[in-house]
Amino acid sequence: MADRKVGAVLVVGGGPAGMQAALDLADSGFKVYILESGLSIGGTMAQLDKTFPTNDCSMCIISPKLVATGRHENITMITNAELKGIEGKTGDFKVKLSRRSRFIIEEKCTGCGVCAEHCPIEGANAFDRDLAPAKAIYVPFPQAVPLVYTIDKGLCIGCGVCDKFCEAKAINYSDEPDKEEVIEVGAIILSPGYDVYDSSKKIEYGHGVFHNVLSNIEFERMLSASGPTEGHVIRPSDGDVPKKIAFIQCVGSRDAQTSNTYCSSYCCMAALKQAVIGKEHVQGLDTAIFFMDTRAFGKEFEEYLMRAENEYGVRVLRNNRISKVEEDPETNNLMLSYLEGPDIREEVFDLVVLSAGARPPESTGNMAKVFGLDLNKFGFCETDDLTPVSTSVPGVFVCGAFSGPKDIPDSIAQASGAAGKVAALLSEERGKLVTKKEYPQERDVSGKEPRIGVFVCHCGINIGSVVNVPEVVEYAATLPGVVYVERNLYTCSQDTQKKIKEVVEKHDLNRVVVASCTPRTHEPLFQNTVKEAGLNKYLFEMANIRDQCSWVHRLEPVKATEKAKDLVRMAVAKAATLESLPQPKIPVTPAALIIGGGLSGMTAALEIAKSGFEVHLVEKEKQLGGHLRRIHHTLSGVDPQETFEQLEKEIAEHKNIKTHLNETASEIKGYIGNFETTLKSGEKLKHGAIVVATGGVEYEPVEYMFGKNPKVVRQTDLGELLAEKDFKADNVVIIQCVGSRNDEYPNCSRICCSTAMANAMKIKKEHPETNVFVLYRDIRTYGFAEENYNEAARLGVIFLRYDPASPPRVVATNGDIVVEIDEQFIEQTVTIKPDYLVLNAAVRPNPDNKDLAQLLKVPLTKEGFFLEAHMKLRPVDFATDGIFLCGLAHSPRLIDESISQALAAAARVNTVLSKPFIEAEGVVSVVSEERCIACGRCEDVCEYGAPRLEEISPGVIKSRINEALCKGCGSCAVACCARAISPKHFKSEQIMTMLEALLADKDEEVKV
Amino acid sequence: MSGPVTKDARSTEKTHEPKIVAFCCNWCSYAGADLAGVSRLQYPSNVRVIRVMCSGRVDPAFVLKAFELGADGVIVAGCHPADCHYINGNEKAAMRGDFLSEFLEDAGIEDQRFRMEWIAGSEGQKFADVVKKMVAELERLGPLCEEDV
Ligand code: FES
């Protein structure tokens, strides 16, 4: 008998990574449990104010995910709970959990907050790092999911006030403190995140002793509009606005004293972001960041660093590990000594922020015990370069910072990657334990008088601090058709969704308007809400009073308020004209097209095939493997060739995979679920999703005599030389950042520092007599690669820092080459005569990307890498549905990171292919047969072949539009000479109505 | 609509607040306008954006209607050439825009009052700059004379 498998998954930890894994699996037909030890999902990201490199508001972008997770019909959240034990094996686990009581009946609590209003007890708020008070009955933060209150029994005096005021009768003082339960799952994903290093342990910095020394998370909460100071940056000692802030990097990381010798990866960027945002909060603020190295290694990060330094004037002080902070007891000012060039300087600051690093989460020990999991020496989960989401226990996977400190997009990609692995593992069980989301029957609103509800959002203080929201609310109430208006602190929070549904019912609303942020991110959320309220989702309209109003007119509150009113009036006018639109169901071709057969493409192909879908793997060369064929050892010293051969064999043998070598796509037509690609050879392929895995190329240096002198080689050549037996050299010089971090290609190639360490160590281990010199700008061995940097230094590799303004000079003298470098530390020129000069050449985008981007209609970055839908939360999605990306097509990355992304792309593809139908958008164009004169201009103008002239009855020819092909762009409507075509939701009448609302008789209306 | 319509620039009071309508395509230009916000770029508050799916959706009639109703300036913004989410809606928009410019000129509406712009999702700065520039120009030009439109 085949082993039993269970089509359910347990995700341990509900931060961004856990939520992503849960959503991917739930959307692919698996039942998901999220076990969260805290009171809400959201993880550390929910505490952040802004995220780099786009400075997006963290709560704004995570909030839709919180809500989507919270309301997904296939996700069950088990919060405030702990893992107790586990039995069984991969495919069939029994997991024992223990829930701590909230002393609230979860099903009854509405999250209204009346209890907390009346609670007489105040304690400290852990979410705000104790900077703000919280009641004895509380939610951790306003957007918490689930929005259920909890009684802190340590604080509660049992006065019974909350019970008295709770209308829902949700208080249960006498609940048992813990309850155990057992769930059955087929696989487990661990995403417990990380803990922030307790910086008060570094006593030399005085955190917890000196008032004006804050940790980075405390400072982040201070920047947050919903934080303890409502976004005001102040000195805790006296409440004054600081004029000078110092950021000290690497607190509790890269630090042998704390034995946390790894690098925490995200703190450099986080500090830059905090310095930039700090400057936006306080005019004229001086910010200085003391870096050991600037580790801006991610996509577009280097540009962010340059902007911070050059445009915002953030002071970037490299080569600095601050030894101590001293306080002037009178002023509470803080004094630091630091290096500037070779000089030691002293400077006084008003506030010091400690960039505390990441530690393995507290729960790690318990988890390791329960699962019998291997941890690395720091207590993070042990993984392998080539199996980056697998743990030592079969059926148990890992993602996010628990497998090593990393930023949000890398965590999200790894999370989708883990989901991809699980989906393949449990593929036969897909769809067996899930329920389909049922929406209430849609109300028929045709012909009914508009009854419009308007919800105006404060967005914390994002809108409310500029736009006079109460005034807008008052004004909205006077607009024609409006029967209900309210304002919300966050209209996107889960409690407001509930509120909207209630209000729609209670006031019999048939149109809803939300005035808040941009429809580009939040329309789907609100549309879902109105759908749940029994309205067609197109009976919804948004007014963008944040991104296009309060944020851009910060110094003109009166004008911004007028504009907000105009925008609301336009939205209300359009809302009155909105109609219910049907959404046709489009069948999905359960096959994927993978473009590019390197490591990423191959990995994605195999995982999708294992999930039971057909795969077309298209590779331009005559064999698979791409760049990987030239790599002989990874960072951790593994030779990937063996794994590669295994992968190649599995792909060749898998019945679901068809490999197309020497092929490229020459035409790609269609849309999510229904693509048709024509290959160069003329072969046509039908598929429902696409993965772009075109890889990158190694830069061909024009500098340092590359190509002119045989002693000058690139890093990959060195890898190959080292793989040969007879490598011999007295001196090897490695130059970093060749062709990256310059004017033309400003960004960092990310992998070069780590590969330099791997190669340098290999030389030193196998040929200890060889001198190895690494000429660098910043060493960016992030994460555990920092260990390699330390090890390389221990082995005697010599590191020399150069300034990009005076790069190393290379001259050839009778066959020899001589390298000269102006060393920055010692301020001297050093001359070396190497046997090999190794150039660490940049990773450049594949030159084919340009054409492919045009074929697919997807964007590229300035440098020519593909640009994903959202840098933080959608790292492997394109904005166009059904198209995904991974590996070097996205940006430079290490092997394990490419594999994670490839698995992620596979998981995202699964979410498309696992459904038999996709619900099409309702925004399509329709022809009025009455008006149509069959001129055929619509046919000419449409690129998708949607309109066709047809003989509808003998002798009568009319245009008809195929809804499945129509994209709703509206071009045909403009071209139509008889004005017979109308693009739904963007009808001419609707746009004219908006114009009229905006411009006509405005003076009269405003007087109201 | 007929006749030259602008008042003498010098006679315009400084307090004239030009009203600008911007039609932005959903995929690039609207995203660019959002990015200006995300980046907290500050620009004059005179512009009101109407979101359309593609610049190719903008009917010249909308632009004329806007002027007729008293807009001082109109912007039609779409994706950069070759970037249109619907392949080439922006090219069609550009053709209509050229035609429209000529028509407006004949009607005596200065060409500074009507702009076709390509603004990418990554060009928050460009969106802000386009608005700033147009506001400055319209302040110089003064209002359109109502009776002439
Ligand atoms: S979608 Fe932007 S112009 Fe067509």
Side-chain angles (χ1 to χ4, degrees), chain B residues 25-29 53-56 77-79 83-86 89-90:
Chain B
C25 84
N26 180 58
W27 303 96
C28 287
S29 311
M53 292 315 282
C54 176
S55 62
C79 311
D83 283 354
C84 169
H85 190 75
Y86 307 100
N90 51 358

Side-chain angles (χ1 to χ4, degrees), chain A residues 449-575:
Chain A
E449 275 293 297
R451 291 181 60 78
I452 304 170
V454 182
F455 297 80
V456 186
C457 183
H458 281 262
C459 196
I461 63 161
N462 280 305
I463 295 170
S465 66
V466 179
V467 169
N468 185 335
V469 173
E471 199 180 312
V472 175
V473 166
E474 210 173 288
Y475 173 70
T478 66
L479 294 170
V482 173
V483 295
Y484 181 86
V485 189
E486 73 166 54
R487 58 195 167 101
N488 318 103
L489 184 59
Y490 293 94
T491 308
C492 60
S493 67
Q494 203 172 28
D495 61 322
T496 312
Q497 306 317 300
K498 218 161 127 192
K499 188 77 189 291
I500 294 176
K501 278 185 271 174
E502 285 165 12
V503 166
V504 167
E505 210 161 290
K506 188 158 161 224
H507 296 266
D508 187 28
L509 303 182
N510 53 23
R511 311 283 193 286
V512 174
V513 171
V514 169
S516 60
C517 48
T518 168
R520 288 174 50 254
T521 55
H522 281 64
E523 196 176 50
L525 169 79
F526 296 121
Q527 284 184 326
N528 191 57
T529 302
V530 301
K531 231 168 123 175
E532 288 179 351
L535 293 176
N536 181 279
K537 77 173 195 188
Y538 294 101
L539 297 171
F540 171 78
E541 184 65 20
M542 262 178 111
N544 186 341
I545 62 167
R546 188 191 68 183
D547 303 45
Q548 297 182 6
C549 187
S550 68
W551 275 353
V552 289
H553 312 309
R554 284 202 292 192
L555 304 175
E556 301 183 302
V558 176
K559 287 184 182 173
T561 303
E562 280 314 306
K563 178 167 174 178
K565 286 185 194 167
D566 283 358
L567 295 174
V568 169
R569 184 170 68 247
M570 290 159 78
V572 165
K574 181 169 178 188

Side-chain angles (χ1 to χ4, degrees), chain A residues 335-407:
Chain A
M335 180 139 73
L336 266 58
S337 345
Y338 62 92
L339 279 176
E340 193 158 17
D343 307 323
I344 297 179
R345 293 191 199 283
E346 288 191 342
E347 197 172 328
V348 176
F349 292 90
D350 301 323
L351 199 70
V352 166
V353 178
L354 303 178
S355 283
R359 281 172 21 85
E362 194 62 53
S363 55
T364 305
N366 175 40
M367 223 175 287
K369 214 167 65 216
V370 170
F371 289 108
L373 207 64
D374 288 350
L375 302 179
N376 72 10
K377 69 173 182 185
F378 304 113
F380 289 96
C381 185
E382 183 84 61
T383 57
D384 189 295
D385 283 349
L386 301 169
T387 53
V389 301
S390 303
T391 70
S392 56
V393 183
V396 179
F397 301 89
V398 64
C399 61
F402 182 37
S403 67
K406 53 175 68 67
D407 67 3

